[in-house]
Amino acid sequence: MRYAEKIRILHSPAAARSAAAAGLALAVGLTATPALATPAPATPATRTAGTAAHSALDRYYDQRLSWGTCVQSPDDTTGRDLDAAGVQCANVTVPLDYTAPRGRTITVAVSRLKATDTRHRIGAILLNNGGPGGTAVESPPVIRTAMKKVGARYDIVGFDPRFVGRSTPLDCGWPVSFPWFSAGAGRAGFDRQVALSKSLAAKCRATNASVLPHVTTRNTARDMDVIRGALGERKISYLGYSYGTYLGTVYTQMFPGRYDRVVLDGAIDPRAYGPRLLRDAARENEQALSAWAVWAAGRHTTYGLGRTRTAVLATIDRVMAQAARGPLKVGTAPDTFRLDDTHIPTLLFMGVADDTDASRAFLAEQVSVLSKAAKNQQSALSPEFTEQLRFALTGEGSASGSAQMAIICGDAPAARNPELYWRDIQRARAAHPLFGPLTENIGPCAFWNAPRENPTRIRHDAPALIVAATGDPRTTYRGSVALHDQLPSSRLLTLKGANRHALYGEYGNACVDGKVNRYLETGRLPGKDEVCVK
């Protein structure tokens, strides 16, 4: 999911890589220092248009960026790796509130790996790894590798969205890193989740009330256009994974005519985006879990979870039943954790987003530990599982969870009545007893202030390449098909047979990578939708 990122409601490619190594990840970014924003001579290429605040925004679009080292502190290994790869970093100054551009400013961290084939340079491509709340400053070298020979023709630009990672930070001081757990087996677990969600929303209001209204996808899209202007580009290409597909779609709708080649990998239906986006994903996650159980059954001698798919799933049922009776104790001092039936579905949900052997082995390791704990047997935790649990169950990643929830809650309103969520959970239990109480559960958005802007809806066609796996457990294949239907000029590239979220440059499918790179090289979409096979 590079061990640089951590848990996100929607797995990103960085999350998928981490999952293979350690499941959940989420790097807490360092505070960025303000960039030099010396006004440059205005050119038509860098100015915005069609906005009442045109003249007030000129200083942002025309700023000169101070490119330099990516290292921010002596222990900044990511920065050192970026420097070694030839990447330069800068900070882009943007207004906190685009309706008051002469007011408070914040910074957005960007990185750039410049084109080496300058004679055939195509332009700049902007990256977003998903989340929401995912970083991408670290991504240009990885994407350059994925792009193969065409990568040399692009300036590859990563950025950390506002209030994420190295950009101006946001941290509500939460006691947990993210607030997305199951309701558990009964009303008591749900009531605990209601109380937790309410307290987390209150902490954010108490600590960050002045910025929360401006932590939105639409403002991130505005920041993207400022980045485009500051780079001196008339148009910018874009590669977005997961939530990044929604951000990319929003950009095409807010700034038509300012984008070139657009790749949306693991797409979201904008009509479904919001605090309860994952409520329709229970079926795909159960299918992915079932496929993992077949894999685990074939390795019973290693993990001891059962010799058949049914037996492996029965092991999970026993673990859940025991956890509902009382928390399972795992780990050894000083790293011991207590996991109940509200926590375990989240671990399973995150574990099935990638069907590679490495990721499946990591999930099997987790379930094996939980199975032993359900029998009061202790087993040592791997460093990766320890880090995962420390992140999930403590406030170690509070900044990451705070930013993620602020974006989601700031984008679209959530139902506010807890009883509505409880009724939906109870209805979901019959068909989806494991994942239904998770995907239907309440969250902090139920107690958030109402968003200032309406959600973005598609009103302009956009010729994008949409990439999707038929068994995607996060942004389901149905979402990619729905977005494709709303963008008649788009093309859908389908990978059949994969239970995987995030494909291009991540999954190792030569067919998918080759077709995406052909589009990035030529700028021509396929004449019709295309299919690859796992």
Side-chain angles (χ1 to χ4, degrees), residues 270-474:
R271 298 169 300 189
Y273 174 80
R276 305 187 76 186
L277 171 64
L278 293 173
R279 63 183 310 196
D280 293 326
R283 183 183 68 191
E284 283 80 2
N285 279 274
E286 288 179 354
Q287 291 172 347
L289 183 65
S290 181
W292 167 82
V294 172
W295 181 94
R299 294 157 179 81
H300 174 72
T301 54
T302 302
Y303 302 107
L305 301 177
R307 298 185 182 279
T308 65
R309 178 189 68 87
T310 301
V312 172
L313 295 176
T315 296
I316 291 176
D317 288 342
R318 287 193 295 272
V319 168
M320 283 292 294
Q322 186 62 37
R325 288 190 284 270
L328 307 181
K329 298 177 184 178
V330 301
T332 55
D335 292 307
T336 58
F337 305 92
R338 295 166 63 87
L339 298 159
D340 63 28
D341 59 337
T342 68
H343 303 130
I344 293 169
T346 301
L347 298 180
L348 296 172
F349 184 89
M350 300 310 297
V352 298
D354 182 357
D355 63 4
T356 60
D357 283 349
S359 183
R360 283 177 161 176
F362 182 56
L363 179 57
E365 173 202 327
Q366 296 173 63
V367 176
S368 178
V369 168
L370 295 173
S371 178
K372 292 175 182 176
K375 302 172 186 175
N376 292 318
Q377 299 173 5
Q378 275 201 329
S379 56
L381 303 182
S382 67
E384 293 81 10
F385 194 17
T386 298
E387 182 173 351
Q388 180 188 48
L389 292 176
R390 189 184 300 125
F391 179 84
L393 301 177
T394 74
E396 183 179 277
S398 169
S400 302
S402 300
Q404 181 180 75
M405 281 297 104
I407 295 167
I408 296 173
C409 301
D411 279 345
R416 307 190 76 81
N417 182 1
E419 296 307 315
L420 181 147
Y421 295 89
W422 178 246
R423 289 194 297 270
D424 288 345
I425 288 167
Q426 293 295 80
R427 279 195 294 266
R429 285 189 197 278
H432 308 293
L434 180 61
F435 289 122
L438 174 67
T439 60
E440 298 284 353
N441 201 16
I442 197 167
C445 296
F447 305 100
W448 219 261
N449 291 345
R452 289 196 176 181
E453 293 188 82
N454 291 325
T456 301
R457 295 291 179 257
I458 291 181
R459 309 200 186 282
H460 307 285
D461 193 8
L465 180 61
I466 301 170
V467 184
T470 53
D472 189 333
R474 291 295 166 274

Side-chain angles (χ1 to χ4, degrees), residues 476-505:
T476 66
Y477 185 67
R478 286 171 284 125
S480 291
V481 171
L483 179 61
H484 177 41
D485 288 344
Q486 294 170 69
L487 300 175
S489 295
S490 68
R491 292 294 181 267
L492 179 61
L493 173 57
T494 299
L495 177 62
K496 286 189 173 181
N499 297 317
R500 164 69 189 222
H501 184 57
L503 298 174
Y504 171 67

Side-chain angles (χ1 to χ4, degrees), residues 7-10 26 131-134 162-164 170-172 174 176-181 196-198 200-205 211-217 243 273-278 397-414 441-449 451:
I7 191 168
R8 301 175 184 155
I9 284 185
L10 302 177
L26 197 136
R162 54 173 51 205
F163 300 106
V164 170
L170 170 71
D171 189 349
C172 298
W174 284 353
V176 294
S177 298
F178 69 102
W180 202 64
F181 300 111
L196 174 64
S197 294
K198 190 173 184 178
L200 297 181
K203 280 183 176 292
C204 278
R205 277 194 299 274
V211 303
L212 290 181
H214 312 293
V215 190
T216 67
T217 297
Y243 158 81
Y273 174 80
R276 305 187 76 186
L277 171 64
L278 293 173
S398 169
S400 302
S402 300
Q404 181 180 75
M405 281 297 104
I407 295 167
I408 296 173
C409 301
D411 279 345
N441 201 16
I442 197 167
C445 296
F447 305 100
W448 219 261
N449 291 345

Side-chain angles (χ1 to χ4, degrees), residues 17-30:
R17 276 189 298 276
S18 283
L24 306 176
L26 197 136
V28 178
L30 305 175

Side-chain angles (χ1 to χ4, degrees), residues 53 56-57 59-61 63 92-108 162-163 214 219-220 222-223 226:
L57 288 172
R59 70 185 181 105
Y60 300 106
Y61 277 84
Q63 65 186 289
V92 179
T93 301
V94 297
L96 171 67
D97 181 354
Y98 275 86
T99 67
R102 291 184 176 86
R104 178 179 171 184
T105 63
I106 58 175
T107 58
V108 173
R162 54 173 51 205
F163 300 106
H214 312 293
N219 278 332
T220 297
R222 294 178 176 110
D223 295 344
V226 169

Side-chain angles (χ1 to χ4, degrees), residues 56 139 345 527:
S139 296

